[in-house]
Amino acid sequence: MSDVHIHKVPKAVADHAHINKEVYEAEYQRSIENTKGFWDEKAREFLTWSKPWDVTVEHDFPKGEVKWFTGGKLNVSVNCLDRHLETRGDQPAIIWESDDPAVDKTYTYKELHAEVCRFANGLKAEGVKKGDRVCIYMPMVAEAAIAMLACARIGAVHLVVFGGFSPDALKDRLLDSEAAVIIVADESVRGGKAVPLKANADQALKSCPSVKSVVVVQRTGGSIDWTDGRDVWYHDLLENASDDCPAEEMDSEDPLFILYTSGSTGKPKGVLHTTGGYLLHAAVSHKYVFDYHDGDVYWCTADVGWVTGHTYIVYGPLANGAQTLMFEGVPTYPDASRFWKVVEKHKVNIFYTAPTAIRALMAKGDDYVKTCDLSSLRVLGSVGEPINPEAWEWYHKVIGGGRCPIVDTWWQTETGGILMTPLPGATDLKAGSAMQPFFGIEFGLVDNEGNEVTGNPAEGILVIKKPWPGMFRTLFGDHQRYIDAYFANYPGMYFPGDGARRDKDGDYWITGRVDDVINVSGHRMGTAEVESALVLHPAVAEAAVIGYPHDIKGQGIYTFVTLMDGVEATDELRQELVNHVRKEIGPIASPDVIQWAPGLPKTRSGKIMRRILRKISENLIDELGDTSTLADPSVVDDLIANRPSQ
Ligand code: WTA
């Protein structure tokens, strides 16, 4: 890797930063050698506890047991709101930028606190108690964050479902979590278009008996159906509620939220995060990774429906008393300068987005950027998938003016917060590398047999050797799956499902998933989910789904579909199948390519050989490898001959 250009930490950045190179090295060493001492100190520095903890960390990975700060008591909403009131009550907490460029709204810490308390009382009036599950199916409006914090205040466990998910996907999550209440908007607005969220929820609720009440936030005033006795307006609940709501004292290990994510097999997994460790990891990583300083305006463009929105729009920033921007719209509306106009308008200092957005905007050309004043920017971030060096260099040069470090942050829904990243003032950068472990994180690389690959350079499957505060504690309702999916493959270690390479300097490069999870526009998806959706269609006998390289999305969805006998393969059917998947899962799962497959390459025991399908999807026909173990090698010739043009 001798040809990799190294971007040195600019002196101005290092001088200003919380953590410079020397501090990182010393503190990282300490965090590994004295994990307890390190996190004890951070837990006292970053959080306010109503009762101190007895034991810092206990774990037994093979049994799936992890606990942090046992015996400690605290409340997340108090940490995110109440304790800031005295020092920064009138400072903006959430800066909301609407889909419409002419509309924005700022909530100060005082205002946010008052509304959270009132809504928390409103939820209590709806019968919500500690431990109940509350679903939040919302657009990117401040009320989504308010709802999360209100749940945290009364000890209810929220599950945010991305507003782009279909009624069926919503239904699955409501059923699995046995949610008591759903909070929804009448409609969401993205790119000038309204999406009927309440109507979607109504449809999902037809078969969700556990949901007793539906709280509706009025976003557009569009017409909606109303079920008396079940539906209640958010604004009516607030009007009748007091803004005095004492916070529930929570145990450090009490659940904070569930967030469904995709695995390589079966239905989505309800990743469960708890209170103390999660919030600590969120706060510490937000401050150090983005080098957040008091008064900075920080903008993470993720949706609250994903973990990035949870940790780095809501919990991390608010725990740190930060000004966090929430954007309702899309990067290309009204045109491709929107992100940069928002940066200029709100004088954003720290900007965190996904490679897919960068690639899409890069493709529109630099003119959209040049008309905007981006001089407020100081730190840039990237998350969700590997960033290709071309996009990295454009981001660095054109958006960051060559002066802003890019933190390429690797983490997962399961990890709660960032685990691998450069730090702005400490780490020299290589385009496309997530570089170094965050404090307290010890990575290893193992081969297929589970033996550790030591030395540099090295390549293998990424594993983590010790627990960290923000890690998830279980999969809701399925602890055995938690153990099997994450701790059984490599005993004594956590298995994230990614491969990685360590270069000669010991810096890490994530090489992508090693399981059947794909990453489409930064959205994580199981190929099995898309396959199950396809085979629900009466015309489909069998389907195999592959992620293939896509210029903008990172990975696109390539599907091989075997039709039922006698069904004709037409373009209309192809479109119908695309619509069908959108209906079953949501638009994010739309297949990019559907190839008709009279047969799929299978082993004699009936297992689909995805390796071969992957090569066909990428048109790497010379690299098909050994096909002699196939039950019927001739199906491969047919698939090669009938590849659709893309
Ligand atoms: C991938 C998103 C390379 C990875 C926070 C991981 C990345 C999955 C990066 C988790 C990165 C995330 N470089 N790959 N900086 N960040 N990934 O749960 O494959 O939606 O396992 O969490 O995204 O996706 P998830």
Side-chain angles (χ1 to χ4, degrees):
M1 297 301 298
S2 53
D3 54 345
V4 171
H5 177 66
I6 295 179
H7 296 259
K8 292 269 179 206
V9 178
K11 185 167 182 312
V13 175
D15 288 349
H16 176 263
H18 295 298
I19 310 274
N20 63 23
K21 198 174 175 55
E22 289 69 41
V23 175
Y24 170 72
E25 280 167 5
E27 285 289 276
Y28 177 72
Q29 208 53 37
R30 181 167 78 100
S31 73
I32 297 300
E33 283 161 12
N34 179 8
T35 306
K36 176 182 174 308
F38 179 86
W39 288 114
D40 275 347
E41 185 189 297
K42 297 296 168 200
R44 279 192 290 268
E45 180 188 337
F46 279 77
L47 301 185
T48 302
W49 301 76
S50 53
K51 178 179 170 291
W53 55 97
D54 305 313
V55 187
T56 307
V57 53
E58 299 157 87
H59 85 291
D60 183 339
F61 277 174
K63 289 200 184 123
E65 283 172 15
V66 178
K67 286 184 188 158
W68 281 88
F69 309 111
T70 317
K73 304 270 188 199
L74 75 167
N75 180 282
V76 166
S77 86
V78 168
N79 274 275
C80 290
L81 300 168
D82 305 50
R83 64 178 179 147
H84 302 313
L85 294 180
E86 209 171 298
T87 48
R88 56 178 94 239
D90 295 321
Q91 179 208 290
I94 293 180
I95 302 164
W96 180 68
E97 169 79 11
S98 149
D99 187 60
D100 175 349
V103 179
D104 57 33
K105 181 173 175 182
T106 294
Y107 294 73
T108 64
Y109 272 93
K110 251 187 218 151
E111 290 162 345
L112 190 63
H113 174 259
E115 189 149 335
V116 166
C117 287
R118 285 163 71 201
F119 189 48
N121 280 327
L123 286 175
K124 280 196 204 166
E126 288 300 298
V128 178
K129 298 180 304 297
K130 179 177 174 181
D132 286 351
R133 270 81 62 204
V134 172
C135 176
I136 299 174
Y137 182 58
M138 294 271 274
M140 282 292 288
V141 290
E143 287 82 357
I146 290 165
M148 293 163 75
L149 291 160
C151 287
R153 191 155 194 98
I154 61 175
V157 180
H158 61 69
L159 59 129
V160 184
V161 175
F162 174 55
F165 274 127
S166 69
D168 276 338
L170 173 62
K171 180 193 73 185
D172 291 345
R173 289 156 175 77
L174 288 169
L175 286 176
D176 191 73
S177 63
E178 297 176 333
V181 172
I182 177 167
I183 304 159
V184 64
D186 50 0
E187 297 180 310
S188 69
V189 193
R190 296 187 79 225
K193 290 201 248 350
V195 179
L197 281 188
K198 170 67 163 63
N200 285 352
D202 284 339
Q203 195 175 333
L205 288 171
K206 283 183 192 152
S207 40
C208 296
S210 64
V211 178
K212 300 289 183 259
S213 79
V214 180
V215 181
V216 189
V217 174
Q218 192 167 44
R219 167 63 187 90
T220 63
S223 83
I224 53 172
D225 289 341
W226 196 262
T227 304
D228 282 328
R230 184 197 73 178
D231 299 355
V232 55
W233 285 111
Y234 175 86
H235 52 259
D236 285 345
L237 270 186
L238 284 198
E239 200 174 294
N240 301 323
S242 145
D243 62 7
D244 178 25
C245 178
E248 187 80 33
E249 191 179 60
M250 303 296 284
D251 195 275
S252 176
E253 280 300 332
D254 277 336
L256 176 64
F257 66 84
I258 301 168
L259 187 57
Y260 285 86
T261 191
S262 298
S264 49
T265 54
K267 56 182 188 151
K269 310 188 273 199
V271 166
L272 184 127
H273 282 285
T274 57
T275 301
Y278 169 79
L279 190 67
L280 179 65
H281 188 170
V284 173
S285 56
H286 171 259
K287 176 168 174 172
Y288 293 148
V289 174
F290 300 104
D291 196 36
Y292 189 87
H293 290 255
D294 261 356
D296 282 346
V297 176
Y298 160 89
W299 178 18
C300 164
T301 70
D303 191 286
V304 286
W306 310 118
V307 73
T308 309
H310 283 60
T311 308
Y312 296 112
I313 294 178
V314 181
Y315 290 119
L318 294 178
N320 288 335
Q323 314 190 67
T324 179
L325 194 146
M326 255 180 109
F327 175 48
E328 184 183 39
V330 297
T332 46
Y333 176 82
D335 65 36
S337 68
R338 185 66 192 277
F339 269 5
W340 323 126
K341 291 246 167 70
V342 175
V343 168
E344 175 178 288
K345 177 177 174 187
H346 296 287
K347 301 201 168 34
V348 171
N349 306 109
I350 301 163
F351 177 74
Y352 188 30
T353 196
T356 185
I358 297 168
R359 285 190 298 265
L361 295 173
M362 181 170 88
K364 303 275 180 195
D366 297 3
D367 288 350
Y368 287 105
V369 188
K370 287 193 181 130
T371 49
C372 302
D373 176 5
L374 301 182
S375 59
S376 59
L377 288 174
R378 210 182 68 234
V379 175
L380 301 174
S382 171
V383 61
E385 50 176 315
I387 179 165
N388 50 310
E390 303 72 35
W392 194 102
E393 294 292 352
W394 184 82
Y395 195 26
H396 188 254
K397 184 164 149 247
V398 180
I399 304 306
R403 63 177 199 286
C404 306
I406 297 177
V407 289
D408 177 359
T409 63
W410 177 88
W411 59 297
Q412 313 178 289
T413 307
E414 293 88 337
T415 69
I418 294 164
L419 298 192
M420 185 192 288
T421 180
L423 297 181
T427 322
D428 296 338
L429 304 173
K430 299 174 185 173
S433 166
M435 302 300 294
Q436 289 286 316
F438 188 63
F439 296 126
I441 309 300
E442 207 175 334
F443 289 111
L445 295 176
V446 295
D447 63 20
N448 287 333
E449 280 71 53
N451 302 312
E452 183 155 6
V453 195
T454 52
N456 299 329
E459 183 158 355
I461 294 159
L462 191 68
V463 290
I464 305 174
K465 300 180 178 177
K466 292 210 290 207
W468 61 97
M471 74 186 290
F472 66 142
R473 303 296 197 259
T474 191
L475 295 177
F476 185 75
D478 199 350
H479 195 66
Q480 193 57 45
R481 189 174 177 196
Y482 175 72
I483 297 172
D484 294 345
Y486 300 99
F487 301 104
N489 289 11
Y490 306 101
M493 301 195 250
Y494 168 77
F495 165 57
D498 281 41
R501 186 159 63 73
R502 212 166 37 218
D503 67 19
K504 65 176 179 14
D505 307 318
D507 296 319
Y508 284 89
W509 301 71
I510 301 293
T511 50
R513 299 287 307 196
V514 295
D515 54 11
D516 290 323
V517 169
I518 55 176
N519 200 320
V520 181
S521 298
H523 297 148
R524 174 172 163 184
M525 221 172 294
T527 51
E529 282 171 77
V530 185
E531 288 163 3
S532 320
L534 280 165
V535 297
L536 284 177
H537 191 282
V540 177
E542 200 169 15
V545 170
I546 302 291
Y548 75 105
H550 186 287
D551 283 350
I552 304 288
K553 298 179 176 185
Q555 281 186 303
I557 301 179
Y558 195 119
T559 61
F560 295 87
V561 172
T562 308
L563 293 172
M564 292 288 191
D565 277 350
V567 175
E568 204 187 332
T570 60
D571 284 347
E572 289 72 50
L573 180 57
R574 196 177 257 136
Q575 191 53 48
E576 192 179 314
L577 291 182
V578 171
N579 294 343
H580 170 77
V581 174
R582 293 169 72 95
K583 183 186 140 292
E584 288 295 326
I585 304 178
I588 53 171
S590 301
D592 295 279
V593 181
I594 293 183
Q595 169 162 8
W596 305 122
L600 290 168
K602 289 187 190 163
T603 59
R604 288 192 188 95
S605 59
K607 199 171 171 318
I608 295 176
M609 290 192 74
R610 294 171 172 281
R611 173 177 63 76
I612 292 178
L613 294 177
R614 211 165 279 136
K615 296 292 180 199
I616 295 173
S617 74
E618 293 179 38
N619 205 10
L620 297 172
I621 309 304
D622 299 344
E623 299 176 19
L624 285 182
D626 182 15
T627 55
S628 63
T629 56
L630 289 175
D632 177 6
S634 73
V635 299
V636 174
D637 301 329
D638 181 279
L639 292 178
I640 294 169
N642 293 302
R643 274 186 88 256
S645 52
Q646 287 165 48

